[in-house]
């Protein structure tokens, strides 16, 4: 009776194997034995996705070249293929799956993990009904968590609907991309814009959110306004109070009308302390981290990208230091709280501050098993590193671990306590309010001092009494409205989570049903894809749309369903209903097809009739022509018609794909020396370079020489 444990990737398989008593490494799998395992158990693995959706040309050769006449592309059934570089490992996995009596799905414990495993099993064409399928579901790669999980395997078929959800998401994204991308690319090419324009079910509304923010900033016109305030002098002490309730006066006329109606005047006048309230207040520590909350906070603190944060958390997970990263929960269960409490002293040894941790009973703000579905919040595991081990980690991993650790410990710390003093001062018939906070007990803030020091500097108000006479110096400084702030990767991740609602992470956390776009596992990849396609760029941690991204946004904004975060969020909710067996894959894909049919029908005339798109196209054409002119290093010395340009890994002729093609190329590196554009310009225009330093012989000796170009042949000139 053979049991096959299917891991997602080699590192995960290695973690499982390390938790068992005995193992023998083979090519592409491990033989393992342990009392908690059945006899004849092997552990094999994928390389992430061993199986992917086939490209359109696999269905029909005509799809190899994009054509508007071939749209829409709707396969009758969807084909899956194994990439060439993964076929060897797939065959190993398939052979074992065929032999298996029991298959233990041990890929990542999430929807995408289900998709990876079931796609492999389906592609192996085994009779799944003849196999016993179990599921390993764990939150940590620590040995004891792995062993506990293998002792309590779940029914694998229970998670089959999660696979159907993930597969539906995969297919729907394929349909939108394989139809939307050629549609917009070909139509924009017809208008005269070169390039490939990628469309995505989630990436397009995400890009459009940044575009809208950029437009709002660009078109923003500051408006002046006046605010009334008073500097209150009470004996020898002064403090500033503001009109209550706060009002913004758009001009001096409305300000003067208000002041006349309330008897106020500019400058010093009598006032009286109307009320003094002192209230003892407490604030709880921040919530525990979901992935998006952690990405937002780390980006805010250290300006790391969402993708870099995800990689750092994943690496810490694989190092067994943090719990499962791709979680949308900010809660833990009593079980996690218990082990955290048992290890408090060890965790505290990693923190330089001395802090008391008296909150040893679970609090519902952090501990609520009913709100933990697939995975709990990101927290430290029972494996506690030494300070020396932490210092050997990459810088970002140290920062991520430290913040997760401190935020988790803060749950056990006392609340931050402060006294809030509110003074109301009456001046004529108007009230002015001043508020000051004085810390009483630092509590959890001792652990997260950096986060709050700049936000909440203590404001101490003088001791005054109700009825006390004071002098009020009333003024109305002119101010200006400010534009919205550009997105950062952190704030954009939050905006994706809330489908564009302007909420901070704390507000998002307390919403009962947040309808976001993308998933915890995919948002970082979406942002990376937008940057790699040159639609988004990062400047000083701020995200902005590039000219190419602007062209795409101008084109797609005519189709609101493609740019709407709310619509995409509804799709995400519908996808989740597949897991809950409230909706079928066919039902969802039918909706996507109707949407694509609408695009194919409507978009050509939309682009043709849009003056804004035509204007943007002209700007893009000009920009592309300027970029091309700057990229050209000179006329090709071989065909004499093409231009030599930087091709990325080499320099080559623009007639490379012409009929007949020109195969002229020059390397970027020659005998150990990088050849810059100045050298290439000299070679193709003069046939030789000036004397260059830094060449290296095969024996490693440095030498100087000129370079000569004869046709396509480079040679040294030592004269």
């Amino acid at each position: 009776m053979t049991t096959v444990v299917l891991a997602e990737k080699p590192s995960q398989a290695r973690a499982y194997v390390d938790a068992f008593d005995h193992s023998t490494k083979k090519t592409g799998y491990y033989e393992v034995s342990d009392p908690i395992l059945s006899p004849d158990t092997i552990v094999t693995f994928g390389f992430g996705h061993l199986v992917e959706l086939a490209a359109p040309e696999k269905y029909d050769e005509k799809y190899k070249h994009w054509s508007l006449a071939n749209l829409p592309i709707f396969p009758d059934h969807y084909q899956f293929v194994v990439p060439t570089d993964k076929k060897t490992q797939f065959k190993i996995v398939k052979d074992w799956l065929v032999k298996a009596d029991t298959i233990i799905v041990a890929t990542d414990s999430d929807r995408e993990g289900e998709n990876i495993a079931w796609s492999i099993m389906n592609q192996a064409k085994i009779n799944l009904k003849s196999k016993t399928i179990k599921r390993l579901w764990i939150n940590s790669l620590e040995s004891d968590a792995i062993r506990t999980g293998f002792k309590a395997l779940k029914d694998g078929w229970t998670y089959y609907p999660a696979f159907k959800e993930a597969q539906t998401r995969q297919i729907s994204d394929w349909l939108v991309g394989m139809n939307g991308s050629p549609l917009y690319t070909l139509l924009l090419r017809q208008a005269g814009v070169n390039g490939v324009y990628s469309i995505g079910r989630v990436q397009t509304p995400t890009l459009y959110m940044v575009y809208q923010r950029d437009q709002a900033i660009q078109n923003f016109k500051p408006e002046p306004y006046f605010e009334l305030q008073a500097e209150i002098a009470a004996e020898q002490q002064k403090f500033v109070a503001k009109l209550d309730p706060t009002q913004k006066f758009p001009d001096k006329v409305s300000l003067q009308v208000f002041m006349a109606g309330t008897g106020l005047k500019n400058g010093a006048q009598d006032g009286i302390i109307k009320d003094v309230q002192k209230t003892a207040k407490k604030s709880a520590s921040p919530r525990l981290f979901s992935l998006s909350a952690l990405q937002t906070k780390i980006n805010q603190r250290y300006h790391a990208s969402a993708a870099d944060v995800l990689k750092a958390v994943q690496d810490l997970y694989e190092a067994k230091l943090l719990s499962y990263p791709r979680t949308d929960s900010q809660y833990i269960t009593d079980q996690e709280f218990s082990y955290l409490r048992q290890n408090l002293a060890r965790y505290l040894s990693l923190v330089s501050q001395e802090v008391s941790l008296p909150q040893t009973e679970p609090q519902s703000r952090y501990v609520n098993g009913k709100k933990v579905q697939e995975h709990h919040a990101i927290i430290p595991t029972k494996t506690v590193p030494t300070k020396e081990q932490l210092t050997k980690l990459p810088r970002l991993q140290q920062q991520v671990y430290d913040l997760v650790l401190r935020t988790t410990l803060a749950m056990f710390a006392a609340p931050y306590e402060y006294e809030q003093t509110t003074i109301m001062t009456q001046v004529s018939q108007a009230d002015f309010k001043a508020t000051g906070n004085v810390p009483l007990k630092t509590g959890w803030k001792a652990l997260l001092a950096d986060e709050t020091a700049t936000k909440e500097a203590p404001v101490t108000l003088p001791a005054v009494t109700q009825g006390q006479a004071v002098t009020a110096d009333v003024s109305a400084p002119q101010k200006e409205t400010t534009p919205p702030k550009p997105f950062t990767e952190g704030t954009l991740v939050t905006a994706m989570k809330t489908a564009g609602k302007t909420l901070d992470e704390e507000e998002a956390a307390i919403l009962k049903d947040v309808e976001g776009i993308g998933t915890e596992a995919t948002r970082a990849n979406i942002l990376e894809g937008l940057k790699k396609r040159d639609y988004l760029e990062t400047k000083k941690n701020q995200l902005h749309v590039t000219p190419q991204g602007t062209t795409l946004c101008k084109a797609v904004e005519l189709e609101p369903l493609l740019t709407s975060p709310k619509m995409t969020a509804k799709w995400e909710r519908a996808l989740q209903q597949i897991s809950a067996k409230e909706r079928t894959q066919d039902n969802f894909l039918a909706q996507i097809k109707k949407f694509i049919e609408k695009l194919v029908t409507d978009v050509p005339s939309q682009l043709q009739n849009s003056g804004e798109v035509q204007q943007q196209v002209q700007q893009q054409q000009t920009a592309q022509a300027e970029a091309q002119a700057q990229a050209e290093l000179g006329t090709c010395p071989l065909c004499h018609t093409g231009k030599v340009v930087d091709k990325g890994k080499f320099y080559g002729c623009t007639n490379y794909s012409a009929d007949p093609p020109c195969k002229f190329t020059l390397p970027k590196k020659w005998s150990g020396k990088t050849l810059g554009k100045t050298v290439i310009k000299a070679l193709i225009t003069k046939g030789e370079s000036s004397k260059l330093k830094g060449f290296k012989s095969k024996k490693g000796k440095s030498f100087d020489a000129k370079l000569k170009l004869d046709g396509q042949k480079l040679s040294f000139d030592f004269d």
Side-chain angles (χ1 to χ4, degrees):
M1 301 289 283
T2 302
T3 298
V4 173
V5 179
L6 178 56
E8 188 160 318
K9 51 189 175 180
S11 59
Q12 190 179 53
R14 183 74 248 176
Y16 297 154
V17 167
D18 289 345
F20 301 138
D21 283 354
H22 302 288
S23 66
T24 305
K25 191 177 189 308
K26 302 287 186 178
T27 303
Y29 67 97
Y30 298 87
E31 293 175 347
V32 292
S33 62
D34 192 284
I36 65 172
L37 300 173
S38 302
D40 301 322
T41 296
I42 70 102
V43 177
T44 189
F45 48 84
F47 299 138
H49 287 272
L50 283 185
V51 178
E52 59 187 36
L53 276 162
E57 56 264 28
K58 288 285 185 181
Y59 298 93
D60 193 316
E61 192 68 21
K62 70 180 181 181
Y63 295 136
K64 196 166 188 178
H65 300 287
W66 284 0
S67 167
L68 292 173
N70 290 335
L71 301 179
I73 301 171
F74 292 154
D76 292 329
H77 66 280
Y78 297 94
Q79 296 179 27
F80 292 83
V81 295
V82 178
T84 303
D85 60 340
K86 298 180 179 180
K87 284 185 176 179
T88 300
Q89 182 61 20
F90 176 77
K91 185 176 187 311
I92 292 169
V93 175
K94 176 183 177 180
D95 289 346
W96 278 112
L97 292 176
V98 170
K99 295 175 187 175
D101 299 289
T102 298
I103 299 171
I104 299 175
V105 175
T107 49
D108 277 356
S109 304
D110 58 17
R111 289 170 177 81
E112 205 50 47
E114 297 300 330
N115 191 15
I116 288 170
W118 288 90
S119 294
I120 291 171
M121 292 190 288
N122 287 334
Q123 193 71 10
K125 294 184 169 52
I126 56 176
N127 182 358
L128 292 171
K129 296 293 185 182
S130 69
K131 313 282 185 181
T132 299
I133 299 178
K134 295 290 184 179
R135 207 342 165 166
L136 174 71
W137 197 270
I138 55 178
N139 273 299
S140 164
L141 287 178
E142 294 172 288
S143 291
D144 63 342
I146 291 169
R147 293 183 67 83
T148 299
F150 272 97
K151 290 176 185 174
L153 294 171
K154 302 175 183 293
D155 179 5
W157 286 100
T158 303
Y159 297 89
Y160 185 77
F163 154 63
K164 294 303 289 184
E165 177 194 328
Q167 187 191 60
T168 307
R169 180 179 280 105
Q170 181 184 15
I171 293 172
S172 64
D173 288 347
W174 186 94
L175 286 169
V176 172
M178 293 303 171
N179 286 283
S181 299
L183 175 66
Y184 278 93
T185 297
L186 293 173
L187 289 172
L188 286 169
R189 281 180 187 171
Q190 286 180 2
V193 179
N194 295 325
V196 175
Y197 287 87
S198 174
I199 298 295
R201 185 182 59 84
V202 178
Q203 78 171 32
T204 301
T206 300
L207 175 66
Y208 195 71
M209 281 197 288
V210 183
Y211 168 75
Q212 284 185 306
R213 179 64 58 86
D214 278 358
Q215 290 295 298
I217 295 168
Q218 184 178 324
N219 298 328
F220 181 81
K221 293 180 180 177
E223 295 180 358
Y225 66 93
F226 298 88
E227 271 189 348
L228 271 171
Q229 65 182 40
E231 185 180 64
I232 311 297
E235 296 179 355
Q236 301 301 313
Q237 295 177 299
K238 294 181 179 180
F239 60 95
V240 176
K242 293 186 177 181
L243 182 68
D244 184 63
T246 302
Q247 289 189 54
K248 290 182 178 180
F249 301 96
D251 49 50
K252 286 188 176 181
V253 174
S254 59
L255 172 65
Q256 290 166 353
V257 169
F258 177 84
M259 293 180 73
T262 53
L264 290 172
K265 62 182 181 179
N266 283 313
Q269 53 210 288
D270 292 336
I272 190 168
I273 301 298
K274 185 177 180 179
D275 189 33
V276 180
Q277 295 286 339
K278 289 190 176 183
T279 310
K281 293 203 168 187
K282 297 180 180 181
S283 74
S285 68
R287 293 177 185 275
L288 302 176
F289 285 120
S290 65
L291 175 59
S292 58
L294 183 58
Q295 287 168 321
T296 298
K297 186 60 68 178
I298 292 289
N299 175 262
Q300 177 188 330
R301 277 195 169 202
Y302 305 114
H303 296 178
S305 72
D308 286 343
V309 176
L310 175 56
K311 184 180 185 307
V313 189
Q314 179 70 27
D315 289 343
L316 288 165
Y317 168 66
E318 292 183 13
K320 307 176 184 180
L321 298 180
L322 289 183
S323 61
Y324 184 75
R326 293 173 179 83
T327 175
D328 61 0
S329 177
Q330 292 186 267
Y331 296 90
I332 58 174
T333 70
D334 289 310
Q335 185 178 350
E336 287 79 50
F337 186 84
S338 177
Y339 88 68
L340 290 170
R341 181 172 54 195
Q342 291 169 13
N343 287 281
L344 284 179
R346 297 170 66 206
Y347 295 136
L348 271 175
S349 68
L350 301 175
V351 178
S352 55
Q353 290 90 340
E354 288 188 14
V355 60
S356 173
L357 303 179
Q359 302 272 28
T360 54
E361 293 302 317
Q363 302 168 71
S364 59
R365 177 176 170 82
Y366 318 99
V367 186
N368 189 334
K370 292 179 180 177
K371 293 192 176 183
V372 177
Q373 295 177 347
E374 294 175 345
H375 295 283
H376 57 66
I378 300 171
I379 56 174
T381 63
K382 299 173 195 173
T383 301
V384 184
T386 64
K387 285 187 176 181
E388 292 72 26
Q389 288 171 327
L390 280 177
T391 57
K392 292 178 181 177
L393 295 174
R395 181 71 176 159
L396 184 56
Q397 288 186 38
Q398 292 182 48
Q399 292 167 334
V400 167
Y401 185 83
D402 182 66
L403 186 57
V404 172
L405 174 68
R406 289 172 179 272
T407 303
T408 305
L409 288 176
M411 168 178 63
F412 294 92
Y416 165 62
E417 296 184 28
Y418 60 99
E419 183 181 71
Q420 185 176 83
T421 302
T422 303
I423 300 176
M424 299 295 294
T425 305
Q426 183 176 338
V427 185
S428 292
Q429 298 173 43
D431 290 338
F432 289 82
K433 179 180 178 181
T435 303
N437 294 332
V438 177
L440 299 176
K441 293 182 181 179
T442 307
W444 60 266
K445 287 202 173 188
L447 287 161
L448 295 164
D450 292 345
E451 183 173 328
T452 55
T454 55
K455 287 184 182 179
E456 299 178 11
V459 177
T460 304
L461 295 177
V464 294
T465 57
Q466 187 174 350
Q468 182 177 344
V470 294
T471 300
D473 188 358
V474 176
S475 61
Q478 182 174 334
K479 300 182 179 181
E480 282 190 339
T481 55
T482 56
K485 292 181 179 179
F487 275 118
T488 65
E489 286 206 30
T491 56
L492 185 56
V493 165
T494 301
M496 292 174 75
K497 186 172 183 175
T498 61
K501 294 186 182 79
T502 307
L503 303 173
D504 63 25
E505 193 58 44
E506 176 71 13
E507 291 172 317
I510 61 177
L511 288 181
K512 288 184 179 178
D513 295 301
V514 176
E515 289 190 358
I517 65 175
T519 66
E520 298 290 326
T522 61
R523 289 178 189 130
N525 289 338
I526 293 292
L527 299 190
E528 284 303 295
L530 288 169
K531 288 190 290 184
K532 286 177 181 175
R533 292 185 176 98
D534 194 31
Y535 298 156
L536 284 183
E537 60 184 353
T538 306
K539 294 179 180 177
K540 296 182 179 178
N541 200 43
Q542 295 177 347
L543 283 174
H544 296 285
V545 178
T546 64
Q548 182 151 328
T550 299
T551 299
L552 180 56
C553 286
K554 287 281 188 187
V556 297
E557 70 182 348
L558 302 167
E559 190 51 65
L561 289 180
L562 194 56
T563 60
S564 167
K566 289 183 180 178
M567 183 65 212
T568 308
K570 287 181 179 179
W571 279 343
E572 293 291 355
R573 177 57 61 90
L575 283 163
Q576 291 167 13
Q577 289 173 340
I578 295 173
S579 276
K581 300 183 180 178
E582 296 168 0
R583 186 183 293 265
T584 66
Q585 184 179 82
D586 288 344
N587 172 276
F588 184 86
L589 294 179
Q591 291 183 340
I592 292 291
K593 288 178 181 178
K594 285 181 182 177
F595 167 65
I596 291 169
E597 286 173 341
K598 184 179 185 304
L599 287 182
V600 173
T601 302
D602 295 350
V603 170
S605 58
Q606 286 175 351
L607 297 190
Q608 192 171 6
N609 298 328
S610 169
E612 280 198 24
V613 171
Q614 298 306 318
Q615 184 179 358
Q616 180 62 31
V617 163
Q618 290 174 4
Q619 291 177 7
Q620 187 73 359
Q621 283 175 321
T622 303
Q624 287 180 345
E626 290 174 354
Q628 178 68 23
Q630 290 179 357
E632 291 173 359
L633 302 176
T635 302
C636 176
L638 193 61
C639 69
H640 304 293
T641 58
K643 301 293 182 181
V644 176
V645 295
D646 187 338
K647 293 278 191 177
K649 294 183 178 180
F650 61 94
Y651 300 101
C653 181
T654 53
N655 284 341
Y656 190 79
S657 300
D659 187 17
C662 176
K663 300 297 185 182
F664 177 82
T665 61
L666 284 174
K668 282 200 166 180
K669 206 159 192 177
W670 183 262
S671 292
K673 181 176 177 61
T674 300
L675 304 184
K677 292 180 180 179
T678 303
V679 174
I680 300 300
K681 280 184 179 179
L683 287 170
I684 61 179
T685 55
K686 302 175 185 176
E688 66 176 14
S689 71
S690 58
K691 196 170 187 179
L692 303 172
K693 296 181 178 181
F695 292 109
K696 285 198 174 179
S697 67
K698 291 181 180 179
K699 294 183 179 180
K701 291 184 178 181
S702 295
F703 64 92
D704 305 338
K706 288 183 177 182
L707 280 178
K708 275 196 168 184
L709 179 65
D710 182 10
Q712 238 189 140
K713 186 178 179 183
L714 273 180
S715 60
F716 290 114
D717 182 354
F718 295 99
D719 293 338

